[in-house]
Amino acid sequence: MARFPGGGTPDAMRELRAQAPAGVVFRGALDGTALRRVYQQATLAVFTPHAEEFGLAPLEAMACGRPVICSSSPLKGIAAEPGLHLLRADSAEEWAAAVGRYWD
């Protein structure tokens, strides 16, 4: 899988990006067209606590037919039910279990 550069990424995300296994892509700021293209190519969309500033991004990923794993922060103001519309993960154990459902 190709790795795409992204802008506006916090230092913690840059560090995670450097340690990511093959096939894991961390994205920064993208315009709407590029974002839809990324979602359509993705296996899974993951929104960490840093994604709170992305607004409706989890809904956009779901609209592109992608499974979504999201921390509680980006879910504020979104009427999506964890366990039904997406998976919510806040602890390390929840993240591992949620990603493990989709990642072979």
Side-chain angles (χ1 to χ4, degrees), residues 27-68:
R27 297 305 309 243
L30 299 168
D31 67 31
T33 302
L35 187 58
R36 281 187 295 282
R37 188 171 50 247
V38 168
Y39 289 146
Q40 291 165 349
Q41 295 172 356
T43 301
L44 174 66
V46 175
F47 299 94
T48 67
H50 299 287
E52 185 172 349
E53 65 196 51
F54 298 155
L56 300 177
L59 292 178
E60 292 170 336
M62 288 188 292
C64 289
R66 296 301 166 242
V68 170

